[in-house]
Amino acid sequence: MAAENKRRSKAKAEFTGPVETEDPTGEGGTGGGTGSDDGGEEEFSLEEVLRLGGTQADYVLLAGLDDSNELVDGGRKGAIDDLEEGELEAFISRLGVRAFSGLQVISDDPGGDAAPTERKRPPAAEDPASSPQVTTSPQVTTSPQVTTSPQGEKKKKEKKKKPGEEPQRASAGAPPPASGVFDFQQRGVLLIRPGGKWFHLDYANESSASPQDPTLVARYLSLARRLLEAEVELYRRRRSLQGGANAGWMKTVVSAGVLADRMAAMTLLVQDAPVHTLEHVDALVTLMGRPGGRRAGLMALDTLRELLLSDLLPEDRKLRPFAQHPFDQLEQRASGNRDARDRRLLLWCFEAQLKQRVARFVGALDALGRDTVGAAKARALSTAHQLLAARPEQERALLGQVVNKLGDPDYQTAARAAHLLGGLLQQHPNMRAVVCGEVERLLFRPNVGARAQYYAICFLSQVRLAPGDAPLASRLIAIYFSFFSACIRKKDLQSKMLGALLAGVNRAYPYAGPGDQKVQEQLDTLFQVAHLGRFSTAVQALTLLFQVMDAQQGVSDRYYVALYRKLLDPALGSCRPTPLLNLLFRSLKTDLALRRVHAFMRRLLQVAAQQGPAFACGALYLVSEVMRVKPGLQQLLQEGGGR
């Protein structure tokens, strides 16, 4: 310890006192000759340290080392930490770290080329002791003592700051960024680490509804593309260097493996680092559209569907284009941190490119859905429905594909499409208006066939409405009656389309409100259908007539005459009697004329005697319920009246 203190005192004396040039005789000064103080050890001078690129702080640090002591973990074995109060803070100040705090600040002065150079040169180290300025050579200068108090640090920062070094503050009325902001900076580390969902990363959910400056967006887009390309290339190099044999094997499988192994390898690579492996998504989309490769296309379809649902598409929002991000606040949000800004740009560029890939995938899916093979069409239809039900991305295009399958020549595919649309509305009831609007566009296309129109009307007639769907119900009734009028003009009263239309009107009318006049205009036509149409169609017409008249608080005698005649229809035995019995019970329960109710009951019992057991049981149960509701009928039966 004595030798160390002696060497430290000598170094401080040289540091604080006047510096002399090297003595050629080797006597005195700080020459590099052999000194007698340390038993003949070779000494070094401050000039030699400065000449080799060091600073005075380095000289003091080296002068305090004792080579005879054993070092353990970077310190002397058996030494005691004897740091004085404030010595560590003074040492950090001498390192000049604060001088580099302005390197990330972009100068407002485009012509200030000298300022960045001055910021990159660290200031000369200073001794913590108070001493005058020491000049050792024309190339090296020292500065006064570093003040460690907050006031001294503030003064030091204000002295080093220049007018062109103020951080740029982005705001709505701020000037555009300087040209240096758009310079590309090559990095040796990845900005986005592999692993995890990309849409859960920071900055991925930042968006802006206000329009952005097109010029600013274009410049940032150019920079973001370069950042993404550099990021992908760096990821490839690091994977090839660090992955070893596993990375080489994966690369070989992707390029030359069998089809199933290629799909599995690309799935693993995309799941591990989606931002860096968009090329594999491109390869899968290309396989889907390759002619003559139906098996490869179907496997690529399944692989892409799983990737989109599990790793690539967010659940609660659509993918955003590059221009829908807050570029006018980008520099302010990054707070001068270039890595944070570039990470935002990289994620936004990746999201925009992924949106383009998903659009290409949906286009390839539409082409696959027009395949002549039924299995391929069914797979494409099922995939479109799954994506439509699970993710909002490209929902309009996917909905159009599913609705178009209502007009497929294969009736199984059309029925499957109607079933999938019904399941979609059960899963997402708020999509009723959107789905019905798309089906309406299909109905009124000039080249659509009658079969497609029939399947579309059947689907609409099965849509379950809610009490708040009055506008949608009125819209559906207008669609039904437009086709209803066309059927009447063709005098096609026996068609299945007419029954589907009336079933749809019956379902939608209770939700449309009493002010709907479209049904009132078609009452005579409905009576005509009730007398001349098929049995099931006539029952639907009578049901609609009863709903309309009951809503007006008065059912006409004309309606009861038509219903009474329908009880003797010969087709009653070959059709389902449930709709007729249901309508008959509702009509008799609301009728105030007991003698007419009595007549209906007699006619019903006469018909039940000639029908099967099921109809007879239903008729007897109906009679008992009507008598329970109307006790006055018992008196008529006891008197044997009613004739």
Side-chain angles (χ1 to χ4, degrees), residues 157-232:
K157 291 181 180 179
E158 291 178 354
K159 181 179 179 181
K160 289 185 177 181
K161 284 185 179 180
K162 296 183 179 181
E165 296 177 0
E166 288 295 328
Q168 179 157 354
R169 302 182 181 274
S171 61
S179 58
V181 174
F182 304 102
D183 293 341
F184 172 72
Q185 179 180 350
Q186 187 69 36
R187 290 176 174 81
V189 295
L190 293 174
L191 288 173
I192 307 296
R193 293 184 179 181
K197 303 290 192 298
W198 69 268
F199 44 83
H200 292 163
L201 298 175
D202 295 338
Y203 323 128
N205 294 319
E206 295 181 350
S207 62
S208 176
S210 60
Q212 303 292 316
D213 183 10
T215 304
L216 186 64
V217 173
R219 299 189 69 178
Y220 275 124
L221 178 59
S222 177
L223 175 60
R225 287 173 176 170
R226 295 189 62 186
L227 288 171
L228 184 58
E229 292 174 0
E231 181 83 359
V232 172

Side-chain angles (χ1 to χ4, degrees), residues 557-616:
D557 295 338
R558 185 181 180 185
Y559 164 76
Y560 284 107
V561 170
L563 181 60
Y564 191 78
R565 293 184 59 182
K566 193 54 62 179
L567 287 176
L568 295 178
D569 195 309
L572 179 61
S574 59
C575 296
R576 291 179 63 248
T578 305
L580 178 63
L581 292 177
N582 185 22
L583 176 63
L584 189 60
F585 174 72
R586 292 165 59 193
S587 302
L588 297 180
K589 188 172 63 173
T590 58
D591 192 4
L592 300 178
L594 291 180
R595 292 188 178 276
R596 185 162 55 196
V597 174
H598 183 263
F600 265 99
M601 294 177 64
R602 291 182 59 189
R603 172 63 61 88
L604 180 61
L605 292 175
Q606 292 173 0
V607 172
Q610 301 176 0
Q611 300 295 330
F615 186 89

Side-chain angles (χ1 to χ4, degrees), residues 94-151:
R94 289 199 306 273
L95 292 180
V97 177
R98 295 186 178 91
F100 293 90
S101 61
L103 287 180
Q104 295 292 342
V105 179
I106 307 302
S107 174
D108 292 333
D109 185 10
D113 297 332
T117 305
E118 294 175 4
R119 289 195 299 269
K120 291 181 181 179
R121 179 182 298 173
E126 299 166 358
D127 187 76
S130 176
S131 63
Q133 183 174 358
V134 181
T135 304
T136 60
S137 65
Q139 291 80 9
V140 181
T141 59
T142 59
S143 59
Q145 177 184 359
V146 177
T147 306
T148 59
S149 63
Q151 294 81 1

Side-chain angles (χ1 to χ4, degrees), residues 481 484-489 493 498 502 518-533 537-538 541-542 544-545 558:
F481 275 108
F484 180 80
S485 301
C487 291
I488 296 301
R489 286 195 299 268
L493 301 181
L498 197 60
L502 293 175
K518 297 181 179 62
V519 182
Q520 301 289 339
E521 299 171 358
Q522 301 290 337
L523 289 181
D524 292 338
T525 307
L526 289 174
F527 276 112
Q528 183 181 0
V529 172
H531 287 289
L532 302 178
T537 305
L542 290 172
L544 179 58
L545 287 169
R558 185 181 180 185

Side-chain angles (χ1 to χ4, degrees), residues 10-44:
K10 182 178 178 180
K12 288 186 176 181
E14 292 179 354
F15 179 73
T16 57
V19 178
E20 299 177 1
T21 59
E22 184 178 356
D23 189 3
T25 63
E27 299 176 357
T30 57
T34 303
S36 59
D37 300 332
D38 298 320
E41 291 182 0
E42 183 180 359
E43 294 288 336
F44 55 89

Side-chain angles (χ1 to χ4, degrees), residues 196-199 269-271 273-278 280-282 284 303-315 317-319 350-351 354-355 357-358 391 393:
K197 303 290 192 298
W198 69 268
F199 44 83
L269 291 174
V270 174
Q271 288 177 343
V275 178
H276 308 90
T277 53
L278 272 178
H280 299 311
V281 178
D282 291 334
L284 291 172
T303 303
L304 269 175
R305 179 190 60 205
E306 296 301 326
L307 286 174
L308 292 174
L309 292 177
S310 62
D311 295 280
L312 295 180
L313 295 181
E315 300 178 3
R317 66 175 180 88
K318 295 183 179 181
L319 297 175
F350 163 77
E351 183 176 0
L354 178 61
K355 187 177 183 67
R357 266 71 171 185
V358 175
R391 297 293 184 272
E393 181 64 25

